[in-house]
Amino acid sequence: MRRDVIPSPNIWKYPDVYEIENLGVDPGGLIEQTMRGVHDWSEQVVLDIGCGSGFHLSRFAEAAARVIGVEPHPPLLRRAQRRAAELGPTVTVLRGTAQSLPLPSSSVDVAHARWAYFFGPGCEPGLTELSRVMRRGGTAFVVDNDATRSTFGGWFRRALPSYDAAAVERFWARNGWHRRQLDIAWVQPDRASFEAVVRIEFAPDAADVILAEHPGTTVDYAVNLFWRTF
Ligand SMILES: C[S@@+](CC[C@H](N)C(=O)[O-])C[C@H]1O[C@@H](n2cnc3c(N)ncnc32)[C@H](O)[C@@H]1O
């Protein structure tokens, strides 16, 4: 594995369960609605960095002039490319990383990275690369967990006690990014799906505790939407 690629065991090992997870994240569409309020991508060029299996490409393709997904992990790259082929000629998926985007300078209007590479301190090479590819007036968005709030945030803190949410927030502010705190939900169609998704997100012991204490098929989930206009 290349050192510049961050392992994502959830989607790498269980892409079909991750698909179920994606289907149940933010069913109200608050994340895209908020992004669009900041920068509407109609007729624009959208880049999805670390696009995984390409789940979000169709959402951008509905209005964008062109959508480009970038993904380093070959099996996911192939999944995303199959998906892009079904979406038509305006959607392309390329192999690459956030630190080395296979795109010309000043070619992107809206960039989106969801739970991918841009996790705070350490992602400076990707920020430099974003500065290169973004057009003047373009906006880059990062979607990540807000570990300070919500039931899911509590699970995340318990699983990763060394995670320093305040340091992550300071990192984005220092780099000139804005933040909107969003309250979304994670809604699964049945308990079996809920359990499967919890088990790909948490280690077995942590998942056992979560599933013992949390009934049902849904959980409240706080996320941070960070963005910067270039
Ligand atoms: C948790 S998944 C999220 C996938 C997708 N954004 C989604 O929401 O469905 C993280 C993705 O980032 C990719 N990734 C890992 N290292 C990366 C890097 N250096 N640059 C870009 N993407 C990376 C992984 O291969 C994986 O597909």
Side-chain angles (χ1 to χ4, degrees):
M1 189 189 48
R2 290 165 47 170
R3 270 186 313 144
D4 52 356
V5 176
I6 300 177
S8 296
N10 49 13
I11 192 170
W12 284 12
K13 285 199 196 155
Y14 310 101
D16 293 332
V17 180
Y18 202 86
E19 184 76 10
I20 294 171
E21 175 170 353
N22 258 334
L23 285 166
V25 171
D26 190 24
L30 181 63
I31 296 175
E32 277 97 3
Q33 193 188 311
T34 310
M35 287 173 59
R36 240 173 152 160
V38 174
H39 190 135
D40 187 2
W41 50 84
S42 299
E43 301 304 324
Q44 300 223 305
V45 177
V46 177
L47 166 66
D48 190 3
I49 304 171
C51 70
S53 65
F55 182 87
H56 301 99
L57 300 175
S58 64
R59 298 190 181 173
F60 297 120
E62 280 170 15
R66 195 168 164 223
V67 182
I68 304 142
V70 167
E71 171 56 43
H73 187 59
L76 289 174
L77 175 72
R78 287 192 288 276
R79 276 190 180 233
Q81 285 175 329
R82 280 198 296 275
R83 211 164 208 157
E86 286 164 16
L87 291 169
T90 60
V91 185
T92 321
V93 177
L94 304 171
R95 185 171 186 179
T97 60
Q99 308 91 307
S100 179
L101 292 165
L103 295 173
S105 300
S106 305
S107 60
V108 174
D109 298 303
V110 171
H112 164 260
R114 191 177 296 218
W115 290 299
Y117 174 77
F118 292 95
F119 297 119
C123 76
E124 293 84 352
L127 295 184
T128 303
E129 187 64 338
L130 268 182
S131 297
R132 182 183 71 77
V133 302
M134 295 305 297
R135 281 192 181 131
R136 196 181 174 84
T139 306
F141 294 95
V142 164
V143 180
D144 198 6
N145 292 337
D146 179 352
T148 66
R149 303 183 304 116
S150 78
T151 303
F152 190 94
W155 297 347
F156 187 86
R157 277 199 309 279
R158 201 164 61 194
L160 270 180
S162 62
Y163 182 79
D164 188 347
V168 172
E169 282 170 35
R170 281 197 304 275
F171 171 85
W172 289 111
R174 199 166 58 239
N175 283 282
W177 289 60
H178 305 278
R179 174 169 78 123
R180 181 84 49 88
Q181 293 181 283
L182 301 178
D183 295 291
I184 64 165
W186 212 45
V187 181
Q188 297 305 328
D190 49 52
R191 184 71 180 171
S193 303
F194 188 84
E195 289 194 15
V197 169
V198 166
R199 290 198 183 283
I200 67 163
E201 290 298 340
F202 296 94
D205 289 357
D208 285 345
V209 174
I210 290 168
L211 292 169
E213 72 187 14
H214 190 88
T217 58
T218 178
V219 66
D220 57 292
Y221 193 155
V223 298
N224 282 319
L225 175 69
F226 298 103
W227 76 88
R228 185 185 154 193
T229 298
F230 288 78

Short mmCIF file of all heavy atoms in Angstrom, two decimals, residues 10 18 21 25 31 113-116 118-120 142-160 163-169 172 179-184 186 201-202 219-226:
data_model
loop_
_atom_site.label_atom_id
_atom_site.label_comp_id
_atom_site.label_asym_id
_atom_site.label_seq_id
_atom_site.Cartn_x
_atom_site.Cartn_y
_atom_site.Cartn_z
N ASN A 10 -13.32 0.25 6.87
CA ASN A 10 -14.78 0.09 6.71
C ASN A 10 -15.15 -0.12 5.24
O ASN A 10 -15.72 -1.15 4.87
CB ASN A 10 -15.53 1.28 7.34
CG ASN A 10 -14.99 2.65 6.93
OD1 ASN A 10 -14.21 2.76 5.99
ND2 ASN A 10 -15.41 3.68 7.62
N TYR A 18 -20.87 -0.63 3.53
CA TYR A 18 -20.67 0.82 3.50
C TYR A 18 -21.70 1.50 2.59
O TYR A 18 -22.14 2.62 2.85
CB TYR A 18 -19.25 1.16 3.02
CG TYR A 18 -18.81 2.54 3.45
CD1 TYR A 18 -18.22 2.77 4.70
CD2 TYR A 18 -19.02 3.65 2.63
CE1 TYR A 18 -17.86 4.04 5.11
CE2 TYR A 18 -18.65 4.93 3.03
CZ TYR A 18 -18.07 5.11 4.26
OH TYR A 18 -17.71 6.38 4.67
N GLU A 21 -24.63 1.89 4.66
CA GLU A 21 -24.40 3.02 5.56
C GLU A 21 -24.65 4.34 4.83
O GLU A 21 -25.38 5.21 5.32
CB GLU A 21 -22.97 2.97 6.10
CG GLU A 21 -22.63 4.18 6.95
CD GLU A 21 -21.30 4.05 7.70
OE1 GLU A 21 -20.68 2.98 7.67
OE2 GLU A 21 -20.90 5.05 8.31
N VAL A 25 -27.18 7.69 5.69
CA VAL A 25 -26.59 8.91 6.27
C VAL A 25 -27.36 10.12 5.78
O VAL A 25 -27.53 10.30 4.58
CB VAL A 25 -25.11 9.05 5.85
CG1 VAL A 25 -24.56 10.41 6.25
CG2 VAL A 25 -24.26 7.96 6.48
N ILE A 31 -26.68 18.02 4.54
CA ILE A 31 -25.28 18.34 4.19
C ILE A 31 -25.23 19.00 2.81
O ILE A 31 -24.68 20.11 2.64
CB ILE A 31 -24.39 17.07 4.22
CG1 ILE A 31 -24.33 16.50 5.65
CG2 ILE A 31 -23.00 17.38 3.70
CD1 ILE A 31 -23.59 15.18 5.77
N ALA A 113 -14.81 16.58 0.02
CA ALA A 113 -14.14 15.40 0.58
C ALA A 113 -14.93 14.99 1.81
O ALA A 113 -15.04 15.76 2.78
CB ALA A 113 -12.70 15.73 0.96
N ARG A 114 -15.52 13.82 1.76
CA ARG A 114 -16.38 13.37 2.85
C ARG A 114 -15.73 12.18 3.55
O ARG A 114 -15.55 11.13 2.95
CB ARG A 114 -17.75 12.97 2.28
CG ARG A 114 -18.77 12.75 3.34
CD ARG A 114 -20.13 12.44 2.78
NE ARG A 114 -20.73 13.50 2.01
CZ ARG A 114 -22.02 13.81 2.01
NH1 ARG A 114 -22.85 13.13 2.77
NH2 ARG A 114 -22.50 14.77 1.25
N TRP A 115 -15.40 12.38 4.80
CA TRP A 115 -14.74 11.32 5.57
C TRP A 115 -13.57 10.75 4.77
O TRP A 115 -13.40 9.54 4.70
CB TRP A 115 -15.76 10.23 5.95
CG TRP A 115 -16.72 10.73 6.97
CD1 TRP A 115 -16.40 11.18 8.22
CD2 TRP A 115 -18.15 10.88 6.84
NE1 TRP A 115 -17.56 11.60 8.86
CE2 TRP A 115 -18.62 11.42 8.06
CE3 TRP A 115 -19.05 10.60 5.83
CZ2 TRP A 115 -19.97 11.69 8.29
CZ3 TRP A 115 -20.39 10.87 6.05
CH2 TRP A 115 -20.84 11.40 7.25
N ALA A 116 -12.78 11.64 4.17
CA ALA A 116 -11.68 11.18 3.32
C ALA A 116 -10.48 12.12 3.44
O ALA A 116 -10.58 13.30 3.10
CB ALA A 116 -12.13 11.12 1.86
N PHE A 118 -8.91 14.43 4.63
CA PHE A 118 -8.82 15.74 5.28
C PHE A 118 -9.37 15.65 6.70
O PHE A 118 -10.51 16.04 6.97
CB PHE A 118 -9.59 16.79 4.47
CG PHE A 118 -8.96 17.10 3.13
CD1 PHE A 118 -9.39 16.45 1.98
CD2 PHE A 118 -7.94 18.03 3.02
CE1 PHE A 118 -8.81 16.73 0.75
CE2 PHE A 118 -7.35 18.31 1.79
CZ PHE A 118 -7.80 17.66 0.66
N PHE A 119 -8.52 15.11 7.60
CA PHE A 119 -8.98 14.88 8.97
C PHE A 119 -8.37 15.88 9.96
O PHE A 119 -8.39 15.66 11.16
CB PHE A 119 -8.66 13.45 9.41
CG PHE A 119 -9.37 12.40 8.58
CD1 PHE A 119 -8.65 11.48 7.84
CD2 PHE A 119 -10.76 12.36 8.53
CE1 PHE A 119 -9.30 10.52 7.07
CE2 PHE A 119 -11.42 11.42 7.75
CZ PHE A 119 -10.69 10.49 7.03
N GLY A 120 -7.78 16.98 9.46
CA GLY A 120 -7.16 17.97 10.34
C GLY A 120 -5.65 17.93 10.21
O GLY A 120 -5.14 17.70 9.10
N VAL A 142 -15.22 20.08 3.28
CA VAL A 142 -14.80 18.86 3.97
C VAL A 142 -15.92 18.48 4.94
O VAL A 142 -16.39 19.33 5.71
CB VAL A 142 -13.47 19.10 4.73
CG1 VAL A 142 -13.22 18.01 5.76
CG2 VAL A 142 -12.30 19.19 3.76
N VAL A 143 -16.35 17.23 4.89
CA VAL A 143 -17.35 16.72 5.82
C VAL A 143 -16.66 15.73 6.76
O VAL A 143 -15.99 14.79 6.29
CB VAL A 143 -18.49 15.99 5.06
CG1 VAL A 143 -19.52 15.46 6.05
CG2 VAL A 143 -19.14 16.92 4.04
N ASP A 144 -16.79 15.96 8.06
CA ASP A 144 -16.14 15.06 9.02
C ASP A 144 -16.98 14.97 10.30
O ASP A 144 -17.88 15.79 10.52
CB ASP A 144 -14.73 15.59 9.34
CG ASP A 144 -13.84 14.54 9.96
OD1 ASP A 144 -14.24 13.36 10.05
OD2 ASP A 144 -12.72 14.89 10.37
N ASN A 145 -16.66 14.01 11.14
CA ASN A 145 -17.39 13.85 12.41
C ASN A 145 -17.19 15.06 13.31
O ASN A 145 -16.10 15.64 13.35
CB ASN A 145 -16.86 12.63 13.18
CG ASN A 145 -17.18 11.34 12.49
OD1 ASN A 145 -18.11 11.27 11.70
ND2 ASN A 145 -16.38 10.32 12.74
N ASP A 146 -18.22 15.41 14.07
CA ASP A 146 -18.08 16.34 15.18
C ASP A 146 -18.14 15.49 16.44
O ASP A 146 -19.22 15.13 16.92
CB ASP A 146 -19.22 17.38 15.15
CG ASP A 146 -19.11 18.36 16.32
OD1 ASP A 146 -18.27 18.14 17.21
OD2 ASP A 146 -19.88 19.32 16.33
N ALA A 147 -16.95 15.17 16.96
CA ALA A 147 -16.89 14.24 18.09
C ALA A 147 -17.33 14.88 19.39
O ALA A 147 -17.44 14.20 20.41
CB ALA A 147 -15.46 13.71 18.24
N THR A 148 -17.60 16.18 19.38
CA THR A 148 -17.96 16.86 20.63
C THR A 148 -19.45 16.73 20.96
O THR A 148 -19.87 17.07 22.06
CB THR A 148 -17.62 18.37 20.58
OG1 THR A 148 -18.45 19.01 19.60
CG2 THR A 148 -16.17 18.59 20.24
N ARG A 149 -20.26 16.29 19.98
CA ARG A 149 -21.71 16.32 20.20
C ARG A 149 -22.34 15.04 19.67
O ARG A 149 -21.75 14.35 18.86
CB ARG A 149 -22.33 17.52 19.45
CG ARG A 149 -21.74 18.85 19.82
CD ARG A 149 -22.42 20.01 19.11
NE ARG A 149 -22.39 19.88 17.67
CZ ARG A 149 -23.49 19.73 16.91
NH1 ARG A 149 -24.69 19.75 17.46
NH2 ARG A 149 -23.38 19.59 15.61
N SER A 150 -23.57 14.81 20.08
CA SER A 150 -24.46 13.75 19.57
C SER A 150 -24.12 12.37 20.13
O SER A 150 -23.03 12.14 20.65
CB SER A 150 -24.47 13.69 18.04
OG SER A 150 -23.32 13.04 17.53
N THR A 151 -25.08 11.48 20.00
CA THR A 151 -24.87 10.10 20.46
C THR A 151 -23.72 9.46 19.69
O THR A 151 -22.82 8.85 20.27
CB THR A 151 -26.16 9.28 20.28
OG1 THR A 151 -27.22 9.95 20.98
CG2 THR A 151 -26.00 7.87 20.82
N PHE A 152 -23.71 9.65 18.37
CA PHE A 152 -22.62 9.05 17.58
C PHE A 152 -21.28 9.64 17.99
O PHE A 152 -20.28 8.92 18.10
CB PHE A 152 -22.86 9.26 16.07
CG PHE A 152 -21.90 8.47 15.22
CD1 PHE A 152 -22.26 7.21 14.74
CD2 PHE A 152 -20.64 8.95 14.95
CE1 PHE A 152 -21.36 6.46 13.99
CE2 PHE A 152 -19.74 8.20 14.19
CZ PHE A 152 -20.11 6.96 13.71
N GLY A 153 -21.27 10.96 18.25
CA GLY A 153 -20.03 11.61 18.68
C GLY A 153 -19.51 10.99 19.97
O GLY A 153 -18.29 10.82 20.15
N GLY A 154 -20.42 10.63 20.88
CA GLY A 154 -20.03 9.99 22.13
C GLY A 154 -19.40 8.61 21.87
O GLY A 154 -18.40 8.25 22.49
N TRP A 155 -19.99 7.88 20.94
CA TRP A 155 -19.41 6.57 20.59
C TRP A 155 -18.00 6.76 20.04
O TRP A 155 -17.07 6.02 20.35
CB TRP A 155 -20.26 5.87 19.53
CG TRP A 155 -21.65 5.53 19.96
CD1 TRP A 155 -22.16 5.54 21.22
CD2 TRP A 155 -22.73 5.11 19.09
NE1 TRP A 155 -23.48 5.17 21.20
CE2 TRP A 155 -23.85 4.90 19.92
CE3 TRP A 155 -22.85 4.90 17.72
CZ2 TRP A 155 -25.08 4.48 19.40
CZ3 TRP A 155 -24.06 4.48 17.19
CH2 TRP A 155 -25.17 4.28 18.05
N PHE A 156 -17.85 7.77 19.19
CA PHE A 156 -16.56 8.05 18.54
C PHE A 156 -15.50 8.41 19.59
O PHE A 156 -14.38 7.88 19.57
CB PHE A 156 -16.78 9.20 17.54
CG PHE A 156 -15.61 9.50 16.67
CD1 PHE A 156 -15.39 8.81 15.48
CD2 PHE A 156 -14.69 10.50 17.02
CE1 PHE A 156 -14.31 9.10 14.66
CE2 PHE A 156 -13.61 10.79 16.20
CZ PHE A 156 -13.42 10.09 15.03
N ARG A 157 -15.88 9.28 20.55
CA ARG A 157 -14.93 9.69 21.61
C ARG A 157 -14.51 8.49 22.46
O ARG A 157 -13.35 8.34 22.81
CB ARG A 157 -15.61 10.70 22.56
CG ARG A 157 -15.59 12.12 22.10
CD ARG A 157 -15.83 13.07 23.26
NE ARG A 157 -17.01 12.77 24.06
CZ ARG A 157 -18.27 13.10 23.74
NH1 ARG A 157 -18.51 13.74 22.62
NH2 ARG A 157 -19.26 12.79 24.55
N ARG A 158 -15.47 7.64 22.76
CA ARG A 158 -15.17 6.48 23.60
C ARG A 158 -14.23 5.52 22.85
O ARG A 158 -13.33 4.92 23.44
CB ARG A 158 -16.48 5.77 23.94
CG ARG A 158 -16.42 4.90 25.14
CD ARG A 158 -17.81 4.55 25.64
NE ARG A 158 -18.60 3.84 24.65
CZ ARG A 158 -19.92 3.65 24.73
NH1 ARG A 158 -20.59 4.12 25.76
NH2 ARG A 158 -20.58 3.00 23.80
N ALA A 159 -14.44 5.40 21.54
CA ALA A 159 -13.61 4.49 20.75
C ALA A 159 -12.21 5.05 20.49
O ALA A 159 -11.25 4.30 20.33
CB ALA A 159 -14.30 4.19 19.41
N LEU A 160 -12.12 6.39 20.44
CA LEU A 160 -10.84 7.03 20.11
C LEU A 160 -10.55 8.11 21.15
O LEU A 160 -10.60 9.30 20.85
CB LEU A 160 -10.95 7.72 18.74
CG LEU A 160 -10.60 6.96 17.49
CD1 LEU A 160 -10.78 7.86 16.28
CD2 LEU A 160 -9.16 6.45 17.53
N TYR A 163 -8.44 11.24 20.42
CA TYR A 163 -8.84 12.17 19.36
C TYR A 163 -9.07 13.56 19.96
O TYR A 163 -9.83 13.71 20.92
CB TYR A 163 -10.12 11.68 18.68
CG TYR A 163 -10.59 12.55 17.54
CD1 TYR A 163 -9.99 12.47 16.29
CD2 TYR A 163 -11.64 13.46 17.71
CE1 TYR A 163 -10.41 13.26 15.24
CE2 TYR A 163 -12.06 14.26 16.66
CZ TYR A 163 -11.45 14.16 15.43
OH TYR A 163 -11.87 14.94 14.39
N ASP A 164 -8.41 14.57 19.39
CA ASP A 164 -8.46 15.92 19.95
C ASP A 164 -9.32 16.81 19.04
O ASP A 164 -8.82 17.46 18.12
CB ASP A 164 -7.03 16.46 20.08
CG ASP A 164 -6.98 17.79 20.83
OD1 ASP A 164 -8.04 18.41 21.02
OD2 ASP A 164 -5.87 18.18 21.21
N ALA A 165 -10.63 16.82 19.33
CA ALA A 165 -11.56 17.56 18.47
C ALA A 165 -11.24 19.05 18.47
O ALA A 165 -11.35 19.72 17.43
CB ALA A 165 -13.00 17.33 18.94
N ALA A 166 -10.80 19.59 19.61
CA ALA A 166 -10.49 21.02 19.68
C ALA A 166 -9.30 21.34 18.77
O ALA A 166 -9.29 22.38 18.09
CB ALA A 166 -10.20 21.41 21.12
N ALA A 167 -8.32 20.45 18.74
CA ALA A 167 -7.14 20.68 17.88
C ALA A 167 -7.55 20.65 16.41
O ALA A 167 -7.04 21.43 15.60
CB ALA A 167 -6.07 19.63 18.18
N VAL A 168 -8.48 19.77 16.08
CA VAL A 168 -8.95 19.69 14.68
C VAL A 168 -9.67 20.99 14.31
O VAL A 168 -9.42 21.58 13.25
CB VAL A 168 -9.86 18.46 14.50
CG1 VAL A 168 -10.52 18.47 13.13
CG2 VAL A 168 -9.07 17.17 14.70
N GLU A 169 -10.52 21.46 15.19
CA GLU A 169 -11.23 22.73 14.91
C GLU A 169 -10.25 23.88 14.76
O GLU A 169 -10.38 24.72 13.86
CB GLU A 169 -12.20 23.05 16.05
CG GLU A 169 -13.47 22.24 15.99
CD GLU A 169 -14.28 22.40 17.27
OE1 GLU A 169 -14.28 23.50 17.85
OE2 GLU A 169 -14.89 21.40 17.69
N TRP A 172 -8.50 23.88 11.30
CA TRP A 172 -9.27 24.40 10.16
C TRP A 172 -9.39 25.91 10.25
O TRP A 172 -9.25 26.62 9.23
CB TRP A 172 -10.64 23.72 10.09
CG TRP A 172 -10.53 22.29 9.66
CD1 TRP A 172 -10.78 21.19 10.43
CD2 TRP A 172 -10.11 21.80 8.38
NE1 TRP A 172 -10.53 20.04 9.70
CE2 TRP A 172 -10.13 20.39 8.45
CE3 TRP A 172 -9.72 22.41 7.20
CZ2 TRP A 172 -9.77 19.58 7.36
CZ3 TRP A 172 -9.36 21.61 6.11
CH2 TRP A 172 -9.39 20.23 6.20
N ARG A 179 -16.69 26.89 9.52
CA ARG A 179 -17.30 25.64 10.01
C ARG A 179 -18.78 25.84 10.26
O ARG A 179 -19.19 26.86 10.81
CB ARG A 179 -16.64 25.22 11.32
CG ARG A 179 -17.32 24.01 11.96
CD ARG A 179 -16.51 23.44 13.09
NE ARG A 179 -16.64 24.21 14.30
CZ ARG A 179 -17.05 23.71 15.46
NH1 ARG A 179 -17.35 22.43 15.57
NH2 ARG A 179 -17.13 24.47 16.52
N ARG A 180 -19.58 24.87 9.84
CA ARG A 180 -21.00 24.84 10.22
C ARG A 180 -21.22 23.49 10.92
O ARG A 180 -20.87 22.44 10.37
CB ARG A 180 -21.86 24.96 8.96
CG ARG A 180 -23.35 24.98 9.19
CD ARG A 180 -23.92 26.35 9.55
NE ARG A 180 -23.51 27.44 8.67
CZ ARG A 180 -24.14 27.80 7.54
NH1 ARG A 180 -25.21 27.15 7.16
NH2 ARG A 180 -23.70 28.81 6.84
N GLN A 181 -21.80 23.55 12.11
CA GLN A 181 -22.10 22.31 12.84
C GLN A 181 -23.48 21.84 12.41
O GLN A 181 -24.46 22.59 12.52
CB GLN A 181 -22.07 22.58 14.35
CG GLN A 181 -20.67 22.92 14.86
CD GLN A 181 -20.66 23.17 16.36
OE1 GLN A 181 -21.08 24.23 16.82
NE2 GLN A 181 -20.19 22.20 17.11
N LEU A 182 -23.56 20.62 11.96
CA LEU A 182 -24.83 20.09 11.44
C LEU A 182 -25.28 18.89 12.27
O LEU A 182 -24.46 18.07 12.69
CB LEU A 182 -24.67 19.67 9.97
CG LEU A 182 -24.23 20.76 8.99
CD1 LEU A 182 -24.06 20.17 7.59
CD2 LEU A 182 -25.23 21.91 8.97
N ASP A 183 -26.59 18.81 12.46
CA ASP A 183 -27.17 17.66 13.17
C ASP A 183 -27.92 16.81 12.16
O ASP A 183 -28.98 17.22 11.68
CB ASP A 183 -28.13 18.15 14.26
CG ASP A 183 -27.37 18.91 15.32
OD1 ASP A 183 -26.59 18.28 16.06
OD2 ASP A 183 -27.52 20.16 15.39
N ILE A 184 -27.34 15.69 11.86
CA ILE A 184 -27.98 14.79 10.90
C ILE A 184 -28.38 13.50 11.63
O ILE A 184 -28.20 13.39 12.84
CB ILE A 184 -27.06 14.49 9.69
CG1 ILE A 184 -25.80 13.74 10.14
CG2 ILE A 184 -26.70 15.79 8.96
CD1 ILE A 184 -25.04 13.09 9.00
N TRP A 186 -28.54 9.06 11.21
CA TRP A 186 -28.04 7.85 10.55
C TRP A 186 -29.20 6.88 10.69
O TRP A 186 -29.55 6.49 11.81
CB TRP A 186 -26.90 7.40 11.42
CG TRP A 186 -25.74 6.71 10.88
CD1 TRP A 186 -25.01 7.02 9.77
CD2 TRP A 186 -25.10 5.60 11.51
NE1 TRP A 186 -23.95 6.17 9.69
CE2 TRP A 186 -23.98 5.30 10.73
CE3 TRP A 186 -25.36 4.84 12.65
CZ2 TRP A 186 -23.13 4.26 11.06
CZ3 TRP A 186 -24.51 3.81 12.97
CH2 TRP A 186 -23.40 3.51 12.18
N GLU A 201 -17.87 0.19 11.65
CA GLU A 201 -17.33 1.48 12.09
C GLU A 201 -16.55 1.38 13.39
O GLU A 201 -15.77 2.26 13.70
CB GLU A 201 -18.46 2.51 12.25
CG GLU A 201 -19.08 2.94 10.93
CD GLU A 201 -18.08 3.64 10.01
OE1 GLU A 201 -17.04 4.12 10.49
OE2 GLU A 201 -18.33 3.67 8.79
N PHE A 202 -16.80 0.34 14.17
CA PHE A 202 -16.17 0.24 15.49
C PHE A 202 -15.56 -1.14 15.67
O PHE A 202 -16.02 -2.12 15.07
CB PHE A 202 -17.21 0.50 16.60
CG PHE A 202 -17.76 1.92 16.55
CD1 PHE A 202 -18.93 2.20 15.86
CD2 PHE A 202 -17.07 2.96 17.17
CE1 PHE A 202 -19.42 3.51 15.80
CE2 PHE A 202 -17.55 4.26 17.11
CZ PHE A 202 -18.73 4.54 16.42
N VAL A 219 -29.65 6.71 14.79
CA VAL A 219 -28.89 7.42 15.82
C VAL A 219 -28.68 8.87 15.37
O VAL A 219 -28.54 9.12 14.16
CB VAL A 219 -27.54 6.71 16.11
CG1 VAL A 219 -26.60 6.75 14.91
CG2 VAL A 219 -26.85 7.32 17.32
N ASP A 220 -28.68 9.79 16.33
CA ASP A 220 -28.39 11.19 16.01
C ASP A 220 -26.87 11.34 15.84
O ASP A 220 -26.08 10.72 16.56
CB ASP A 220 -28.92 12.12 17.10
CG ASP A 220 -28.35 11.78 18.46
OD1 ASP A 220 -28.69 10.69 19.00
OD2 ASP A 220 -27.54 12.56 18.98
N TYR A 221 -26.49 12.17 14.89
CA TYR A 221 -25.11 12.18 14.42
C TYR A 221 -24.72 13.63 14.13
O TYR A 221 -25.30 14.26 13.23
CB TYR A 221 -25.07 11.32 13.16
CG TYR A 221 -23.74 10.91 12.62
CD1 TYR A 221 -23.61 9.76 11.85
CD2 TYR A 221 -22.59 11.65 12.85
CE1 TYR A 221 -22.41 9.36 11.33
CE2 TYR A 221 -21.37 11.24 12.34
CZ TYR A 221 -21.28 10.11 11.58
OH TYR A 221 -20.09 9.70 11.06
N ALA A 222 -23.75 14.16 14.87
CA ALA A 222 -23.28 15.53 14.60
C ALA A 222 -22.09 15.49 13.65
O ALA A 222 -21.18 14.68 13.83
CB ALA A 222 -22.87 16.19 15.92
N VAL A 223 -22.13 16.35 12.65
CA VAL A 223 -20.99 16.44 11.73
C VAL A 223 -20.56 17.90 11.59
O VAL A 223 -21.33 18.83 11.85
CB VAL A 223 -21.30 15.87 10.32
CG1 VAL A 223 -21.63 14.40 10.39
CG2 VAL A 223 -22.40 16.64 9.62
N ASN A 224 -19.32 18.07 11.19
CA ASN A 224 -18.80 19.39 10.85
C ASN A 224 -18.72 19.51 9.34
O ASN A 224 -18.20 18.60 8.68
CB ASN A 224 -17.39 19.57 11.41
CG ASN A 224 -17.38 19.88 12.89
OD1 ASN A 224 -18.20 20.66 13.37
ND2 ASN A 224 -16.44 19.28 13.62
N LEU A 225 -19.25 20.61 8.84
CA LEU A 225 -19.02 20.95 7.43
C LEU A 225 -18.02 22.12 7.44
O LEU A 225 -18.34 23.19 7.96
CB LEU A 225 -20.33 21.36 6.75
CG LEU A 225 -20.17 21.85 5.31
CD1 LEU A 225 -19.77 20.70 4.39
CD2 LEU A 225 -21.47 22.48 4.81
N PHE A 226 -16.84 21.87 6.93
CA PHE A 226 -15.82 22.92 6.83
C PHE A 226 -15.77 23.37 5.37
O PHE A 226 -15.91 22.55 4.46
CB PHE A 226 -14.44 22.39 7.21
CG PHE A 226 -14.33 21.90 8.64
CD1 PHE A 226 -14.33 20.54 8.91
CD2 PHE A 226 -14.19 22.79 9.69
CE1 PHE A 226 -14.21 20.07 10.22
CE2 PHE A 226 -14.07 22.33 11.00
CZ PHE A 226 -14.09 20.97 11.26
#
